[in-house]
Each structure stands twice: as structure tokens, then as C-alpha cells.
Amino acid sequence: MSASGTSIPLSLVLLVCTLVLAVVTIGYVALAAANRSTVIDRATATHEAGSLMEGLLVDERPSMGTRLSEWIASRMPGSAKTDDHTIAERLMLAGFDAPAAQAMFNASRAACAVLVPFLAWTVAPKDGGTLPLIFGGGALMIAVVGPTAVLDRLIERRRHRIRRGVPDALDLLVVCVEAGVSLDAAMLRVSRDLASMHPELCFELGQVVRKVSAGIPRDRALQELPKRTGVEELRTLVASMIQSERLGSSIARVLRINAETLRLRRKQMVEKNAAEAALKMLLPMALFLLPALLIVIIGPAIIEMLTQFGGGAA
């Protein structure tokens, strides 16, 4: 290679990116598997009442991901650890409520601001023109908007999973309350039995029981539930539960009515999405399917006409 050819080969860049992505994926899968096995063991093990409360609500040993995030946050500069309540609330809605979550998010934004333009510079052609500017502008936009867009996507997916699990949790709560179990013990039972199906919702219910066990009034602990999840259905449910508790009415009836309402609302949402599917498919069909269909139908006729006119002219 000559001295002028100092550009980094594209294959080397792709190889490095693939290795980094593979290492990150392996680490994430390992942490997720360890966390999932811990939750399953905690949910399926047989405990007494006291040991069940202690094992479900007390986290004595932080996970590997928590220790790693705290280690990175402790070595971040002071400007990256500045508290921002808006970002903290959005991270909490996405399920990242660890003390080092905001520092990790700031670190990811800084990493995107450095790595994405570097990758764009290595991939962009070096022959001048407007292509390097286009690559640089696109990389800068991805670096600025990317982490926020990913966070918004995680928030929406978590809300959807929690919203989908609320009716099942309410059905089990109704069964437990009608059997004579207290509301706190019923939420504890739901957190244990549905942990494998709806882990996000069960974790939030466990947080409510933990706060009540720590001495916080139940109404205040319940009011934190919709704030931590961002699900409006839970806001209505919590208001109904607090009003029922203050008035002394049947909590089981309130839970059953809310469960039926949420199931009806979920059915209506599915019907709405099915009705909008045809309208949403109209634009992709007009852009992709219709031109191909016209080429298949009219193409042979045009070729035949050109052949005939070309032969007649000859």
C-alpha cells in the first residue's frame, strides 16, 4: 500500500463493529439470563410468609449490571452526573430507576457523540464532493437524536407490557381479596405468581408493598404506581382503590369493575388497530406494490410496441 492510501479498510471497520456488538450482546444476554433465573427461583421457591416477604422485597446483593453501572458512574466527570429531573423521570418510566441510571444515560450519549461520527468518517468516501457532508450530517443527527429516540421507544414498550398485564393482575387480586387475604398480601401474591408473565408490573407492585412495609401510607404508595409507570389505566385504578378504602366499600368489587373495563378497552383498541390497518397499508402499497404491478402488466405491451415501431422504422 502506498503512503497516500491511508484510509482504513471498510472490512476492518465492519469487523471491529461486529466484535463490539457481539461482546455487548453476549454481556446483555448473560445479565438478562441471570436476572430471569433469579426472578424465577424467587417466584417458584416455597417460603414461609416472613421469608417470602424478605426474599421478594429485600435485595441484599446488587446484580452485576447494577455494580457495573455504579462503577462507571463513580468514574464519570462531575458534569455527566448532574441531576436532571426530566431525564430521571423518563428513565424511571423506562424501568431504569437505579442511582447510576442517569450517569449511564449521559455516558451513552457521549459515546454516541464520539463513535457515530467516527464510524461515519471511516465509511464515508474520501473523494470529496457532498457525500462526506451528507454522511457527517446524518451521523450528527443520529448521535443527537438516537439515545432519546431509543429511550422513548423503551418507555412505550414498557407501558404496553404493563397495560397488557393489568387485567390479569386484577383478576388474581380479586380472587385473593375475596378469599379473605389482605390487600398487601394479595399484591405480594400477585408479584410472586405473575413474575414470569408480567415482570414489570409485578416489580412495581412489589415496590408498593415494600413502601407500605417501610411505613409509608398505602394511599401514598399507591399514588406512586402510575407515576413510575406512566399508565393512565393505573391512575384510574389507584384513585378508585383509595376512594374505596376511605369510604369502606368493597375493594373486590372495585377491582372486578376495573378489570372488566380494562379488558373492554383493550378489545376496543385491538378493533381500532384492525380498522386502521387498511388505511396504514394504503401508502406502502401505492409506493411499492402499484409500480411493480404496473410494470408487470404494462411492461410487455410497451416492449411489444417499441419492437413493432422499431421494426417499421427499419
Side-chain angles (χ1 to χ4, degrees):
M1 180 182 293
S2 61
S4 59
T6 58
S7 60
I8 302 176
L10 179 59
S11 59
L12 180 60
V13 175
L14 294 177
L15 179 60
V16 173
C17 294
T18 304
L19 291 177
V20 172
L21 183 61
V23 172
V24 173
T25 304
I26 292 173
Y28 176 78
V29 171
L31 291 175
N35 189 19
R36 188 181 300 111
S37 63
T38 302
V39 172
I40 292 175
D41 292 341
R42 188 183 301 173
T44 56
T46 57
H47 302 281
E48 298 295 333
S51 62
L52 175 61
M53 176 73 72
E54 181 181 359
L56 184 62
L57 302 180
V58 178
D59 191 6
E60 298 178 354
R61 298 175 57 188
S63 62
M64 185 183 299
T66 303
R67 293 197 300 268
L68 178 61
S69 62
E70 291 177 354
W71 180 83
I72 295 176
S74 63
R75 285 157 177 78
M76 291 283 293
S79 60
K81 295 187 288 186
T82 304
D83 291 335
D84 189 347
H85 296 290
T86 303
I87 296 179
E89 291 177 358
R90 295 177 64 190
L91 289 172
M92 181 179 63
L93 291 177
F96 305 106
D97 57 347
Q102 187 172 344
M104 291 291 295
F105 181 72
N106 293 331
S108 65
R109 290 198 298 183
C112 288
V114 174
L115 294 178
V116 174
F118 173 75
L119 293 177
W121 177 79
T122 56
V123 175
K126 304 301 188 295
D127 55 353
T130 59
L131 283 179
L133 296 178
I134 295 176
F135 273 78
L140 184 61
M141 183 179 299
I142 293 174
V144 173
V145 181
T148 305
V150 171
L151 182 60
D152 292 339
R153 179 61 177 171
L154 292 176
I155 291 174
E156 291 299 325
R157 292 181 62 183
R158 186 170 184 266
R159 284 177 179 172
H160 176 70
R161 290 193 297 266
I162 292 176
R163 189 179 293 112
R164 187 176 57 185
V166 171
D168 298 334
L170 290 182
D171 290 338
L172 188 55
L173 279 176
V174 170
V175 173
C176 294
V177 171
E178 288 182 344
V181 182
S182 64
L183 183 59
D184 296 338
M187 288 191 293
L188 184 63
R189 183 62 182 265
V190 171
S191 301
R192 185 190 65 181
D193 293 346
L194 298 182
S196 59
M197 296 177 58
H198 309 292
E200 292 88 358
L201 180 59
C202 292
F203 175 77
E204 295 300 334
L205 292 177
Q207 289 289 93
V208 173
V209 180
R210 176 185 296 179
K211 292 178 181 180
V212 174
S213 301
I216 299 177
R218 185 183 291 110
D219 54 351
R220 288 181 53 190
L222 288 174
Q223 288 173 357
E224 292 294 325
L225 186 59
K227 294 180 181 179
R228 291 177 55 87
T229 58
V231 179
E232 291 297 328
E233 289 82 355
L234 288 179
R235 191 180 306 275
T236 305
L237 173 64
V238 167
S240 301
M241 292 174 64
I242 293 176
Q243 185 177 7
S244 174
E245 186 177 3
R246 289 176 179 176
L247 298 178
S249 59
S250 175
I251 189 67
R253 183 172 178 271
V254 173
L255 295 175
R256 184 183 295 106
I257 292 175
N258 279 272
E260 295 175 356
T261 303
L262 291 178
R263 290 188 186 278
L264 179 60
R265 187 176 300 177
R266 186 169 63 180
K267 180 181 177 181
Q268 293 174 349
M269 185 62 64
V270 172
E271 293 177 351
K272 178 184 176 182
N273 294 332
E276 293 178 351
L279 183 60
K280 293 179 180 179
M281 291 175 60
L282 183 61
L283 183 60
M285 290 178 62
L287 290 178
F288 301 105
L289 185 59
L290 185 59
L293 188 61
L294 291 177
I295 292 174
V296 172
I297 295 176
I298 305 178
I302 295 177
I303 294 174
E304 185 66 25
M305 291 175 60
L306 293 177
T307 303
Q308 293 293 334
F309 285 123

